[in-house]
Amino acid sequence: MAPKPLLYLIDGSSQMYRAFHAPIRTADGTMFRNSAGLPTNAVYVFVNMLRKLIKEQAPEYIAASFDLPGKTFRDDLAADYKANRKPMPDELAAQIPLVHRACEALGVPIITYERYEADDVIGTMTERAASEGYGVAIVTGDKDFFQLVREGIRVFNPREEGTWYDAPGVKEKFGVAPEQVVDVLALMGDAIDNVKGVPGIGEK
């Protein structure tokens, strides 16, 4: 049987945030900037990640998704969703158009959908691709995607020396099987998104 065609889906927003907070600085300890003074550290790290991914994995099918500005359907369900999250730093917001342009220049289409987060788009595309016979590699450092892992669907974290997570890998990393991840996350809650968990229950 011929191997399944493999689709790489990049969690652009997660990777961009991680790139922005990567500990890289110029020799004098300041943030990377171009000649016009625009910060470029997130662009630099993101592009390096993307070029390395393309060079080493040679994906035949690839796409990325990013969060859109404005509210999503979750805000209709919970008025205090992400209420505690700090606004995006201006230095990162200024780099978003450049990150998008870099994706396009490297042949990575960006897929978004109004009132839905990048996670939702990637989750939907993962399930649809799997149902049509594709293998899927979700490129992210976000543990939320572990719940999607099963035969033919893996998570690839380029920040952990290119670590791949299949179902056994999720169990080893997170302590539970992929189908139990959603239950653990519900019990733990998520302070970043202001999602309440069960008091006294944490990751440990």
Side-chain angles (χ1 to χ4, degrees):
M1 180 182 295
K4 293 181 178 180
L6 184 58
L7 169 64
Y8 285 77
L9 295 174
I10 300 171
D11 180 6
S13 292
S14 171
Q15 293 302 108
M16 186 175 64
Y17 265 96
R18 289 173 181 269
F20 178 73
H21 291 291
I24 63 161
R25 291 292 184 268
T26 62
D28 61 3
T30 59
M31 184 179 294
F32 283 17
R33 295 181 184 273
N34 64 13
S35 58
L38 182 71
T40 57
N41 64 317
V43 181
Y44 175 80
V45 176
F46 187 96
V47 168
N48 279 347
M49 177 280 297
L50 188 53
R51 291 180 65 187
K52 187 172 187 288
L53 175 72
I54 292 172
K55 179 180 179 180
E56 294 182 355
Q57 304 299 326
E60 184 177 1
Y61 304 99
I62 189 170
S65 188
F66 292 83
D67 294 334
L68 295 174
K71 294 184 176 183
T72 71
F73 75 96
R74 288 182 177 81
D75 295 287
D76 298 334
L77 299 174
D80 59 352
Y81 179 60
K82 293 187 176 180
N84 298 331
R85 180 174 291 192
K86 296 179 180 179
M88 178 183 292
D90 292 340
E91 292 86 355
L92 176 56
Q95 299 181 65
I96 293 176
L98 296 178
V99 171
H100 289 183
R101 285 174 58 188
C103 285
E104 294 165 359
L106 290 169
V108 179
I110 295 173
I111 301 173
T112 58
Y113 203 84
E114 290 289 343
R115 291 180 54 78
Y116 288 87
E117 296 180 5
D119 292 10
D120 304 312
V121 174
I122 293 171
T124 300
M125 292 181 64
T126 294
E127 293 297 333
R128 179 172 294 181
S131 71
E132 295 181 7
Y134 288 81
V136 181
I138 304 173
V139 183
T140 184
D142 189 343
K143 63 181 180 297
D144 292 358
F145 284 106
F146 283 162
Q147 63 190 289
L148 298 179
V149 172
R150 60 179 185 271
E151 180 67 29
I153 300 175
R154 295 180 291 168
V155 166
F156 176 70
N157 187 348
R159 295 293 300 279
E160 295 183 358
E161 295 299 323
T163 299
W164 289 89
Y165 292 103
D166 54 10
V170 171
K171 181 70 179 293
E172 180 179 353
K173 174 73 173 180
F174 205 59
V176 298
E179 59 269 21
Q180 297 171 303
V181 168
V182 65
D183 298 316
V184 173
L185 294 176
L187 290 169
M188 288 170 48
D190 191 333
I192 295 177
D193 289 342
N194 198 34
V195 175
K196 305 296 189 295
V198 176
I201 293 183
E203 186 170 353
K204 184 63 176 177

